[in-house]
Amino acid sequence: MPLLVVRDLKKHFPIKKGLIQRTVGHVRAVDGVSLSVDKGETFGLVGESGCGKSTTGRSILRLIEPTEGEILFEGRDIRKMGTAEMRRMRRKMQIVFQDPYASLNPRYTVRQVLEEPMLIHNLYSSAAERKKRVSQLMETVGLSPSRMERYPHEFSGGQRQRIGIARALAVDPKLIIADEPVSALDVSVQSQVLNLLDDLQKELGLAYVFIAHDLSVVKHISDRIGVMYLGRMVELSPADDLYSDPLHPYSQALLSAVPVPDPEAKRERIILQGDLPSPSKPPTGCPFHPRCKDAKDICKTAVPTWEEIRPNHFVACHLYA
Ligand code: SF4
């Protein structure tokens, strides 16, 4: 049984106007996303900014309430859980944010930051036990416990993200939603944080939903990758298969921007035309058609169906119908 199953997840935000705040439309930020994640697996979720990937991550944790859909964690639908049960469940599902500085309370020392989730979940009864756990956590993420009484601003960007990861680990989760965890970091620091996440996964058997706007970031860490466009999944595949043979024209464009080490194997860069359309007014038919180099007449009117083209490799595109 997969650890996490998401079925037809939707998050529509109402657009309100006028004095009485009448609802005049909806932003379809997430519009029918399905995925599953096994224990110890990394699922990479990729797409341009504004495609709904972060909203998907937050909806999975119910940090924002989904509009529709099922979210099964260990076989149980968390959308049907009450407050107390949901709080217990949150221990098992944590999030690491893009901007570690904004997500850490600047008035808290690192010890306080790491103790807070333990207190919320009543995990250790004595201050001495909590402090011991803080030391352990700091060592686990490669920080010296001697710095636990320092404040977040005294750490570098990469170190702050290590604190954010330690905070997620403080409650022994099974799944971490990593929402662009390295996007705000220097390239040289990115690989260190990615390696840390990889090591932690091997050591602790964690599952990740790893959200990124850049396919090169998720390349080495992901087992499977889902590509999102305008609130929908357009391709889902084992990582190797997606990199060697992307099927959807949008995935092909994203992949063409990823640098390859061998200059002989250089891919032709596909420049996407135009901007991402507004999710409040998605194009008819295939939502990618105004920007697609392969669009046919049918693409303007008919929504492509989700098909398994090769084992475990799914795509929504009329080219494969
Ligand atoms: Fe392009 Fe048509 Fe495929 Fe959409 S369905 S990606 S417009 S070819």
Side-chain angles (χ1 to χ4, degrees):
M1 179 174 70
L3 183 66
L4 172 74
V5 176
V6 176
R7 286 197 196 116
D8 209 15
L9 183 71
K10 293 184 184 168
K11 179 63 194 177
H12 297 172
F13 295 99
I15 306 167
K16 300 204 181 263
K17 270 208 176 138
L19 264 183
I20 56 162
Q21 290 287 288
R22 198 163 53 90
T23 301
V24 292
H26 285 91
V27 174
R28 296 164 174 268
V30 180
D31 206 18
V33 164
S34 299
L35 58 89
S36 68
V37 186
D38 288 328
K39 184 176 179 298
E41 185 189 29
T42 298
F43 187 95
L45 193 56
V46 180
E48 285 165 286
S49 99
C51 72
K53 55 195 191 303
S54 288
T55 308
T56 301
R58 276 151 219 241
S59 301
I60 289 172
L61 297 181
R62 285 183 68 194
L63 294 178
I64 47 179
E65 204 55 54
T67 309
E68 267 181 58
E70 269 184 340
I71 303 163
L72 306 176
F73 190 85
E74 296 178 323
R76 298 181 52 222
D77 191 343
I78 66 164
R79 289 198 63 211
K80 296 191 174 138
M81 290 179 184
T83 316
E85 201 179 0
M86 192 60 217
R87 184 187 295 176
R88 283 196 294 277
M89 188 54 89
R90 283 240 164 82
R91 232 191 102 177
K92 301 182 183 181
M93 308 163 80
Q94 290 288 303
I95 186 163
V96 172
F97 294 99
Q98 173 178 359
D99 182 351
Y101 198 52
S103 69
L104 299 174
N105 187 334
R107 290 188 298 275
Y108 278 12
T109 63
V110 174
R111 180 178 55 74
Q112 289 170 313
V113 165
L114 299 184
E115 281 184 350
E116 191 183 31
M118 300 177 205
L119 290 166
I120 291 171
H121 292 283
N122 288 322
L123 289 189
Y124 300 93
S125 48
S126 75
E129 278 179 296
R130 285 193 296 276
K131 194 170 171 188
K132 193 171 156 207
R133 178 71 175 135
V134 168
S135 283
Q136 248 178 18
L137 286 164
M138 290 186 76
E139 274 171 6
T140 303
V141 299
L143 294 171
S144 168
S146 64
R147 302 181 74 194
M148 71 168 73
E149 298 302 339
R150 302 276 183 92
Y151 290 87
H153 74 265
E154 297 178 71
F155 291 81
S156 69
Q159 289 171 333
R160 285 199 288 257
Q161 194 52 295
R162 287 172 190 266
I163 299 168
I165 293 167
R167 182 179 53 184
L169 294 177
V171 291
D172 300 315
K174 295 186 175 179
L175 171 78
I176 291 183
I177 308 255
D179 188 2
E180 304 241 19
V182 298
S183 306
L185 304 177
D186 290 344
V187 175
S188 57
V189 183
Q190 286 188 353
S191 55
Q192 294 168 15
V193 174
L194 289 173
N195 287 340
L196 170 66
L197 288 168
D198 205 22
D199 292 345
L200 290 173
Q201 181 169 55
K202 289 188 185 106
E203 200 179 312
L204 306 170
L206 293 166
Y208 296 135
V209 174
F210 194 102
I211 297 170
H213 61 267
D214 182 341
L215 266 172
S216 61
V217 169
V218 291
K219 183 172 182 185
H220 299 295
I221 200 164
S222 302
D223 299 295
R224 285 182 305 137
I225 293 177
V227 180
M228 277 186 76
Y229 186 79
L230 220 56
R232 297 184 198 176
M233 200 74 89
V234 296
E235 185 162 3
L236 196 162
S237 153
D240 292 349
D241 208 11
L242 187 80
Y243 281 94
S244 60
D245 191 12
L247 298 177
H248 197 282
Y250 180 60
S251 312
Q252 290 166 1
L254 287 184
L255 196 65
S256 76
V258 175
V260 279
D262 175 6
E264 295 287 308
K266 206 170 181 306
R267 296 187 191 97
E268 192 191 333
R269 179 84 193 260
I270 303 166
I271 308 288
L272 280 172
Q273 306 297 321
D275 296 326
L276 192 68
S278 164
S280 62
K281 264 193 180 168
T284 54
C286 169
F288 187 57
H289 85 255
R291 304 171 80 190
C292 180
K293 63 180 177 37
D294 300 311
K296 305 183 283 184
D297 282 347
I298 187 177
C299 303
K300 295 179 188 158
T301 52
V303 178
T305 50
W306 188 238
E307 304 287 346
E308 187 171 12
I309 303 298
R310 289 200 287 267
N312 300 315
H313 194 150
F314 299 82
V315 70
C317 174
H318 288 302
L319 294 179
Y320 306 95

